[in-house]
Every structure is written in structure tokens, then in C-alpha cells.
């Protein structure tokens, strides 16, 4: 099959590789589209290796059709249209997927577009709903409101009934955030979100890490929850412990990729919750995939560059 591999100079190269064979509990998916995520860019630079036993081929979400079943898989049919959360292998014509990480394509969503949903849905739902417990009427802040995570989080929070604030870095991303339902839009190049929202925010979804840590605490309300899922702003930061204690606030560090396949808090648990609780909101039209560009697999390098640009809003997809 054709797949994107990373050479010794960290270039993305379209090459022929062996088609994977599904093992026990896995299925083989013929990929219709694969989503590009910021984690892929980190993996390309050697900063975010895949979990042990996972292919070096990048790609953490796909949509497509089931091509073959591994031993022990009985509730999936060959030819079934699916999308899937995976730990790697999406930048290819075929990908193996644990059966517990398959999701049905939501009604009304085209098969290709469905590739923009599994990773952001699993990340956003597990963090702000399952772990942080965002509720109707609360104020939610997401950093990077124009990203795949950000555009999805805006819609999820609004569907729940929360008020939404976002930080963005351009006028175009600000406009799109408002279109998606954001109530408060802060251009971080011109405004200090902590000053604008001091003591008001109930839940923060943060991709920055160290550089935003103290200001995130400033922005939290009493009983607020800060969920950190990224380190774009560094690995370390200082915290005013007195402020944290005084607000009875929580700082939560989470990811999805390195969770166990099954058991409490596993990927299987998250996927099941997304199917049960978020997919109905997608099918009602309250949440939709936000896609910036769709490119052929051979243009994976261009796709990763686009994902980092100020012009990209939402997800970039690759077509094998």
C-alpha cells in the first residue's frame, strides 16, 4: 500500500509499505480520509513518539470502510462505513484499528468529512465533559479557538448550554469562532485573556501549558477546572498556590493517545461515551466537522504546513 513515511531528514515521503494485517480484536480499514493533528507534527520532529507497538506511520484518526476482520471481531461487517480513533497509521491506504475504537459515521456526515471527528471528539468530550464536568450556564474558555480542537470545543460547549470564550491570533479565526457560537473572542496578540476574564471562567481547555499556567489560574473562578492537554508554550510554569487553594480550583493534565485500550478511563470508554452522548448532537446538527482543506496523501507536507498557518481553521484532511 501507499503510505507517508518520515526519512532521516524528517521529510515526508510517499512510499510503498506492507499492508498491515489485523490482529486479535482489530479490523483493517480502507482509508477514505485521514485527519492531520498537531501531534503528528510533534511526532515528525521526534518529540512525541507513538506508544510501544504502534506503527511509526503518522495519523491518529481516519474514516473509511472495513476491509477485513481480525480474530475475535464479530460485531463489525466487512464493507461497513466507519470512522476511527487510532494511535498511529492513518497516513496510508489502509490502517488497523482496535474494534473498540471504531465509531459509526454519524447520520448526515459525508464519509470523508467524518475523518475530522474522532480525535477532536474523543479529546474534547473526555476532557471538558467527562473529566472537568462542564455544565450548562458555566463559562468555558478554549485556547486556540481556530484549531481543530478549538472549533470542536466551541460547538460541544454551546450544545451543552455553556457560554464560550476563545483566544485566537487572527481576525479570520475570530470571525469563524463567532460563527461557531463563541460569545467572547479574545485576540491574544492584542489582549490579555487573564485580565479580560479574571476570576470568571469555570472550565479552561489549554493547549499551551507552561507559559499560560499562572494566567489560567488567574482566569479561573471559585471551583474552576483547568484542563491542560498541550505544551506549545513550554513544559514548566509557576503557580500561585495560594490562589489555587483560595479558589478551590483543580489543574488536570490529560491526553488520549497513551491511554489503555480497555478498562476504566480507557480509549474504549471514551469512544463509547462519544457514540452515546456526542454523536446524537452531531446528528441533530449542533456539532459539525470543521474542515480547512482536503489534500491528496502526496501533499501531506503541505497539509502539515497549512495546519500551522494563520489561514487554517479547523482540520486538514488527507485523501489516500
Amino acid at each position: 500500500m501507499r503510505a507517508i513515511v518520515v526519512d532521516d531528514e524528517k521529510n515526508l515521503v510517499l512510499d510503498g509499505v506492507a499492508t498491515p494485517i489485523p490482529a486479535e480484536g482489530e479490523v483493517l480499514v480502507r482509508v477514505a480520509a485521514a485527519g492531520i493533528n498537531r501531534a503528528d507534527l510533534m511526532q515528525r520532529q521526534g518529540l512525541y513518539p507513538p506508544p510501544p507497538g504502534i506503527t511509526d506511520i503518522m495519523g491518529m484518526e481516519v474514516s473509511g470502510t472495513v476491509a477485513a476482520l481480525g480474530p475475535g471481531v464479530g460485531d463489525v461487517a466487512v464493507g461497513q462505513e466507519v470512522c476511527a480513533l487510532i494511535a498511529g497509521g492513518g497516513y496510508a491506504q489502509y490502517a488497523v484499528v482496535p474494534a473498540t475504537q471504531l465509531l459509526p459515521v454519524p447520520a448526515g456526515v459525508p464519509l470523508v468529512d467524518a475523518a475530522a471527528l474522532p480525535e477532536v471528539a474523543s479529546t474534547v468530550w473526555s476532557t471538558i465533559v467527562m473529566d472537568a464536568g462542564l455544565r450548562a450556564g458555566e463559562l468555558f474558555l478554549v485556547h486556540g479557538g481556530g484549531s481543530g480542537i478549538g472549533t470542536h470545543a466551541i460547538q460541544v460547549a454551546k450544545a451543552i448550554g455553556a457560554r464560550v470564550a476563545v483566544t485566537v491570533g487572527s481576525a479570520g479565526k475570530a470571525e469563524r469562532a463567532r460563527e461557531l457560537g463563541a460569545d467572547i473572542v479574545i485576540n491574544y496578540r492584542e489582549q490579555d485573556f487573564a485580565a479580560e476574564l479574571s476570576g470568571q471562567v469555570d472550565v479552561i481547555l489549554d493547549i499551551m501549558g507552561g507559559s499560560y499556567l499562572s494566567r489560567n489560574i488567574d482566569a479561573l473562578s471559585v471551583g474552576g477546572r483547568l484542563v491542560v492537554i498541550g505544551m506549545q508554550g513550554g513544559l514548566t510554569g509557576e503557580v500561585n498556590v495560594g490562589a489555587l487553594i483560595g479558589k478551590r480550583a483543580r489543574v488536570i493534565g490529560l491526553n488520549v493517545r497513551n491511554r489503555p485500550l480497555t478498562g476504566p478511563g480507557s480509549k474504549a470508554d471514551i469512544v463509547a461515551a462519544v457514540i452515546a452522548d456526542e454523536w446524537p448532537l452531531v446528528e441533530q446538527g449542533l456539532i459539525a466537522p470543521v474542515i480547512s482543506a482536503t489534500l491528496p496523501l502526496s501533499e501531506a507536507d503541505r497539509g502539515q504546513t497549512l495546519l500551522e498557518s494563520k489561514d487554517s481553521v479547523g482540520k486538514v484532511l488527507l485523501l489516500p
Side-chain angles (χ1 to χ4, degrees):
M1 68 174 185
R2 294 183 305 157
I4 294 293
V5 299
V6 183
D7 69 14
D8 292 340
E9 284 73 45
K10 297 185 171 57
N11 299 309
L12 301 186
V13 179
L14 185 63
D15 200 1
V17 302
T19 301
I21 299 172
E24 179 83 23
E26 295 179 336
V27 304
L28 182 68
V29 173
R30 181 178 178 87
V31 176
I36 298 179
N37 290 280
R38 187 166 290 274
D40 303 338
L41 282 65
M42 295 174 61
Q43 179 175 328
R44 178 181 179 178
Q45 298 303 319
L47 302 175
Y48 190 30
I54 301 298
T55 175
D56 289 334
I57 295 171
M58 291 177 289
M60 296 166 55
E61 59 188 340
V62 297
S63 63
T65 55
V66 175
L69 307 179
V73 178
D75 55 354
V76 181
V78 171
Q80 182 176 339
E81 292 190 345
V82 295
C83 52
L85 175 72
I86 52 178
Y91 290 20
Q93 289 181 298
Y94 290 90
V96 290
V97 181
T100 53
Q101 291 169 218
L102 292 173
L103 301 95
V105 176
V109 176
L111 180 61
V112 166
D113 293 4
L117 289 174
E119 194 274 339
V120 290
S122 297
T123 299
V124 170
W125 196 266
S126 66
T127 53
I128 71 173
V129 179
M130 297 173 70
D131 282 285
L134 181 66
R135 298 182 293 271
E138 291 189 319
L139 179 60
F140 168 67
L141 168 63
V142 58
H143 294 300
S147 67
I149 291 290
T151 54
H152 196 81
I154 292 169
Q155 297 178 82
V156 169
K158 293 300 292 185
I160 290 171
R163 295 172 58 233
V164 176
V166 302
T167 59
V168 295
S170 71
K173 292 186 177 185
E175 180 180 359
R176 189 68 178 105
R178 292 188 184 95
E179 291 172 353
L180 291 169
D183 302 285
I184 302 168
V185 178
I186 296 169
N187 187 325
Y188 63 79
R189 301 183 191 278
E190 302 170 355
Q191 300 165 277
D192 179 355
F193 75 87
E196 299 285 340
L197 301 172
S198 179
Q200 301 178 50
V201 185
D202 298 292
V203 174
I204 300 175
L205 184 60
D206 176 53
I207 59 173
M208 296 303 294
S211 64
Y212 273 26
L213 188 55
S214 63
R215 286 189 290 159
N216 278 330
I217 301 299
D218 290 342
L220 285 178
S221 64
V222 173
R225 291 86 76 198
L226 166 60
V227 185
V228 182
I229 61 170
M231 299 165 287
Q232 293 179 36
L235 299 176
T236 61
E238 292 188 357
V239 174
N240 182 332
V241 176
L244 189 67
I245 293 173
K247 292 184 176 185
R248 302 190 301 279
R250 287 185 286 149
V251 179
I252 310 166
L254 294 172
N255 74 3
V256 173
R257 189 183 196 186
N258 293 313
R259 293 189 186 220
L261 295 182
T262 59
S266 65
K267 295 177 186 177
D269 271 2
I270 292 171
V271 167
V274 167
I275 294 170
D277 300 322
E278 182 174 337
W279 260 211
L281 302 175
V282 176
E283 294 180 344
Q284 293 170 40
L286 298 175
I287 301 169
V290 179
I291 300 168
S292 178
T294 302
L295 303 173
L297 185 62
S298 59
E299 296 187 25
D301 185 88
R302 179 181 161 215
Q304 289 195 353
T305 300
L306 178 60
L307 188 71
E308 291 191 292
S309 77
K310 66 180 179 61
D311 299 319
S312 177
V313 177
K315 301 302 291 280
V316 177
L317 302 182
L318 297 175
L319 306 182

